[in-house]
């Protein structure tokens, strides 16, 4: 048995937002009588953590604790329009809509607080913990709860805001291809270390080391979830997955998880990553979409590492043991490389 | 690697740009739905009980390409528990295309097949029954008479001028503004190829890939007392589903309400609008709640996968490592119907030549129809396979020239102010920095001039 | 064939249910008992999302005929927490970010709980083995393995009675 090790790299970028734009999303925010804030959306959380990220963005702008933010989604009767969760657009589009709505709601909140404290709203600041204070005057403050109660029961005012984000649609020039397809680009560089068993054709991914540039890590724990889960999916695409193993022949398509191959808990590599932040001019707090990108960079890195290990190129995904063995056999007959 | 994630943010890189004081943003807050997930109390679309719920199982084409001579429902209708069987005659507006609302026409996919089927697995008749078992049994007894037509399964074969056209417009190619492909170019690729030291040309291929969410695609349509229908769905796009379903069903938009937002994995597979129109139609015709959920087998073979792509890259490279010409030919296997593929093909073209500045670029991208399951969006749509092709190509160039693969990428990396082939100016680039940071992480040392490079200035 | 009465305990509660022949345990738990935390990801034994304990043994409830549960003691995710206090595994899944969409989570926790119930200090290999029938498409498994190991460490620190 011969096990050969190799290392490969890849560097990629990934566009944020629906290709060519024209994909709006909205948010509505209102305060309850007791100073909690309901963010109403029609956006979908696929498991990537949309509700959590939107909570943090709303809390940041409103200047209140995340615990006092309630995300209400997705019901088309009550929630304003959202184009959907795809194309790494959710954080960017919905996040921006929430910033707009929360800014309006915050201004309404500070107006009421200013009247209660008899100062101009511009002289107020929030502490992010549920209080609104007069800048530079220690002790002169009001709780968000009291401001919300006063707004409702004393002034008869709503504390609310409306937000929408739209990147206007770009229409490509079909002569030259000129267009404005995206809002910003995230970046990744991945190094894969693999071990190829030249007798079985099996590839073991030992380690994936990556650097990701994502604009702003709004929640580092969610970022990490995307990195680890996405890297796994990339590895799975590189080595295992297809619904048509003999493409373009339609025969022998897998119909269940026993036949549709993916790496299991025994097959996972070591992960290591660093995060870079170059805030995007258009992103919420500079954030870019990263959910999709994390699955992309491992694929060519693994393919390049396989070549580095055993000197054969497989240019057809997935790189299965069968393809690898055939290529190794052919290379053994022909002179190497 | 969970606890120390915040520590791994490189605060020293882009330090001035990323400065800022935040309280809620940037915190590693545990996800707010985590406790519900671990206690089993999260409610997905299927986690509600509706008395009198009917189940849909679809009778599907067994052929890749065939005319339908007739559909015999008698044996299916005789199965105990069967309430109703829907065919194309029941669908008010049977022809649709999913991107209609953003003007990507024409209507070219039937909700239920009419006189022909274009892929194995194409829906033909929807059985509604009291139990899923009864619906499944009856769906197996729907008799469809076929008259086989030649199947076009290979994308290159589909593009030949004498290929049998499977689409009514007489070609197997999506038409962009009168052209049979999407085109981008900058500079003069042909002239540049005459000046280069090396030309490298390679082809890359992928096969269809399934999203495989652990929760399969599904919806429950419930008649409401006021003539409306509630749709409990795991769609990735609530209004997109509502609007398309209303158009197909020919009902006012206000008659439909989509309730969702909590999905057991999507990855792009739940952007198509496939189950909801049938579920609502069933509810309209029977007055009862109707559930239509894909079986695992349907999710694997019938729900749209990531498209197979064939990408050929021809590069012109100077001895010093500069890539000065790149010609890219992209073939996207759309399968039998458009879904999101014409859009994804543009996205694939927009992504080339990858994160590099190449002065002379030609990109031609074809969206090709074949007799297979329609492909559609998936995580990395239009980009994943392109990245594979470009980055393996970069490795080949590095080896040909005997160059360090990090250095070659840094040399050619795109930087602020440069022009992409689609004529958008680059801003906020960071390829240089991720390559430097990744090299550093594995202890790969770069020469000083490469360490000094930056995305915000040339050099 | 006729429907018949089947009785079992579900999370400590006595149940007596009228069950049609051929009905699977997963459907009975979800539809008749309202225990919706048990998920159906494939209905064919391939994904593990429907894992429950039958007499302390982890089983795929989509492959178990409900009538065979007669007299058994069934534990589902709803019974994993005690007195509204999460089980150490549940706490660890939150802390280690081992859940994303959450659809696999109940099955993962029930599979892992069966392991910890019989081997309170498992090696990583044993955890991997215990989870090998459960599919997760979101997390890449690493956080799940980490959570199970963290839960085992957490339980080891607790007095035996509380565990
Ligand atoms: S639902 Fe039982 S194993 Fe998938
Ligand atoms: S968290 Fe989504 S399948 Fe595991």
């Amino acid at each position: 048995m011969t096990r050969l090790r190799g290392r490969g790299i890849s560097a990629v970028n990934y566009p944020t937002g629906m290709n060519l734009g024209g994909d709006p999303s909205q948010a509505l925010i209102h305060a309850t009588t007791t100073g909690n804030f309901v963010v109403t959306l029609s956006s979908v959380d696929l498991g990537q953590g949309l509700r959590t990220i939107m909570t943090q963005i709303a809390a940041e702008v409103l200047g209140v604790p995340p615990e006092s933010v309630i995300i209400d989604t997705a019901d088309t009767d009550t929630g304003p329009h959202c184009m959907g969760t795809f194309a790494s657009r959710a954080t960017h589009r919905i996040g921006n809509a929430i910033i707009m709505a929360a800014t309006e709601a915050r201004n309404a909140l500070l107006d009421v607080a200013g009247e209660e404290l008899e100062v101009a709203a511009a002289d107020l600041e929030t502490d992010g913990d549920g209080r609104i204070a007069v800048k530079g005057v220690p002790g002169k403050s009001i709780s968000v709860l009291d401001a919300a109660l006063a707004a409702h029961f004393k002034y008869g005012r709503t504390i609310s805001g409306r937000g929408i984000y739209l990147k206007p649609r770009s229409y490509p020039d079909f002569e030259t291809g000129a267009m404005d397809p995206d809002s910003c680009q995230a970046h990744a560089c991945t190094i894969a270390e693999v071990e190829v068993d030249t007798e079985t054709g099996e590839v073991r991914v030992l380690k994936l080391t990556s650097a990701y540039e994502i604009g702003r890590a709004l929640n580092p724990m969610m970022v990490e979830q995307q990195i680890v889960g996405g890297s796994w999916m990339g590895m799975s695409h590189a080595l295992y997955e297809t619904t048509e193993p003999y493409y373009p022949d339609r025969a022998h398509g897998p119909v269940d998880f026993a036949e549709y191959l993916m790496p299991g808990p025994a097959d996972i590599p070591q992960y290591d990553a660093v995060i870079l932040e170059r805030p995007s001019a258009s992103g919420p707090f500079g954030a870019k979409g990263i959910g999709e990108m994390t699955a992309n960079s491992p694929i060519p890195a693994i393919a390049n590492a396989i070549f580095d290990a055993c000197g054969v190129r497989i240019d057809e995904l997935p790189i299965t043991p069968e393809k690898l063995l055939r290529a190794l056999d052919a290379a053994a007959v022909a002179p190497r490389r | 690697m969970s606890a120390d994630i915040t520590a791994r943010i490189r605060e020293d890189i882009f330090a001035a740009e990323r400065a800022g004081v935040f309280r809620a943003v940037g915190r590693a807050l545990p996800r707010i739905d985590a406790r519900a997930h671990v206690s089993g109390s999260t409610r997905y679309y299927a986690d509600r009980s509706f008395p009198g719920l009917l189940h849909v199982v679809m009778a599907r084409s067994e052929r890749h390409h065939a005319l339908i001579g007739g559909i015999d429902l008698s044996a299916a209708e005789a199965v105990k528990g069967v309430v109703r069987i829907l065919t194309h005659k029941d669908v008010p507006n049977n022809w649709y295309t999913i991107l209609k609302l953003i003007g990507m026409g024409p209507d070219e996919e039937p909700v239920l097949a009419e006189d022909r089927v274009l892929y194995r697995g194409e829906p033909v008749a929807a059985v509604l029954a009291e139990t899923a078992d009864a619906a499944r049994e009856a769906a197996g007894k729907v008799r469809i008479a076929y008259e086989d037509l030649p199947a076009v399964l290979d994308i290159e074969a589909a593009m030949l001028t004498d290929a049998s056209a499977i689409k009514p417009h007489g070609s197997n190619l999506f038409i962009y503004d009168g052209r049979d492909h999407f085109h981008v170019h900058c500079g003069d690729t042909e002239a540049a190829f005459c000046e280069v030291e090396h030309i490298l040309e390679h082809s890359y291929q992928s096969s269809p890939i399934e999203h495989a969410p652990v929760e399969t695609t599904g919806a429950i349509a419930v008649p409401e007392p006021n003539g409306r229908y509630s749709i409990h769905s795991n769609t990735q796009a609530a209004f997109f589903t509502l609007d398309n379903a209303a158009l197909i069903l020919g009902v006012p938009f206000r008659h439909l309400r989509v309730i969702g937002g909590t999905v057991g994995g999507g990855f792009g597979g739940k952007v198509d609008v496939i189950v909801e129109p049938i579920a609502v139609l069933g509810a309209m015709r029977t007055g009862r709640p109707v559930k239509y959920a894909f079986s695992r087998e349907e999710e694997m073979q019938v729900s749209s996968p990531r498209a197979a792509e064939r990408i050929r890259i021809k590069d012109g490279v100077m001895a010093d490592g500069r890539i000065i010409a790149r010609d890219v030919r992209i073939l996207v296997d759309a399968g039998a119907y458009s879904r999101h593929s014409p859009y994804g093909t543009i996205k694939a073209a927009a992504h080339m030549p990858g994160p590099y500045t190449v002065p002379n670029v030609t990109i031609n991208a074809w969206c090709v129809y074949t007799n297979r399951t329609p492909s559609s969006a998936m995580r990395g749509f239009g980009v994943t396979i392109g990245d594979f092709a470009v980055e393996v190509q970069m490795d080949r160039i590095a080896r040909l020239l005997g160059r360090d693969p990090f250095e070659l990428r840094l040399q050619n990396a795109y930087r602020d102010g440069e022009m992409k082939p689609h004529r958008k100016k680059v801003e906020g680039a960071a390829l240089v920095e991720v390559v430097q940071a990744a090299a550093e992480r594995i202890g790969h040392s770069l020469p000083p001039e490469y360490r000094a490079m930056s995305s915000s200035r040339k050099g | 064939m006729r429907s018949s009465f089947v009785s079992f305990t579900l999370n400590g509660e006595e149940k007596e249910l009228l069950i049609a022949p051929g009905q699977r345990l997963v459907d009975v738990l979800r539809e008749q008992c309202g225990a919706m935390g048990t998920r159906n990801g494939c209905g064919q034994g391939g994904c593990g999302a429907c894992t429950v304990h039958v007499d302390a043994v982890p089983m795929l409830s989509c492959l178990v005929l409900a009538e065979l549960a007669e007299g058994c003691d069934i534990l589902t995710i709803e019974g994993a927490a005690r007195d509204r206090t999460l089980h150490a595994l549940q706490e660890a899944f939150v802390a280690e970010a081992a859940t994303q969409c959450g659809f696999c989570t109940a099955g993962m926790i029930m599979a892992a709980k069966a392991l910890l119930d019989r081997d309170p200090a498992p090696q990583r290999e044993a955890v991997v083995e215990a989870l090998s029938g459960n599919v997760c498409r979101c997390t890449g498994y690493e956080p799940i393995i980490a959570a199970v190991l963290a839960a085992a460490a957490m339980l080891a620190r607790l007095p035996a009675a509380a565990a």
Side-chain angles (χ1 to χ4, degrees), chain A residues 257, chain B residues 214 296, chain C residues 24 26 39-51 60-63 133:
Chain A
F257 283 120
Chain B
V214 181
R296 181 52 59 188
Chain C
R24 299 167 312 162
V26 62
R39 318 292 182 192
N40 184 343
C42 69
Q44 55 185 193
C47 75
C50 65
T51 305
L60 302 173
S61 61
C62 71
L63 297 184

Side-chain angles (χ1 to χ4, degrees), chain C residues 24-101:
Chain C
R24 299 167 312 162
L25 185 58
V26 62
D27 297 328
V28 170
L29 292 173
R30 288 176 53 82
E31 286 155 27
Q32 283 176 261
C33 305
M36 295 286 190
T38 301
R39 318 292 182 192
N40 184 343
C42 69
Q44 55 185 193
C47 75
C50 65
T51 305
V52 302
H53 294 189
V54 179
D55 288 340
V57 178
M59 290 208 180
L60 302 173
S61 61
C62 71
L63 297 184
V64 176
L65 284 178
E67 55 218 69
L68 299 181
E70 173 63 39
C72 291
D73 199 357
I74 296 172
L75 187 76
T76 67
I77 189 68
E78 287 86 355
R82 286 275 169 78
D83 306 325
R84 306 187 61 79
T85 307
L86 293 185
H87 186 273
L89 274 166
Q90 294 170 305
E91 290 289 0
F93 267 61
V94 175
E96 297 292 327
T99 179
Q100 288 191 31
C101 79

Side-chain angles (χ1 to χ4, degrees), chain A residues 57 66 78 84 131 141 148 194 222 289:
Chain A
I57 293 175
T78 57
R131 291 203 75 79
S141 70
V194 306
M222 306 283 107

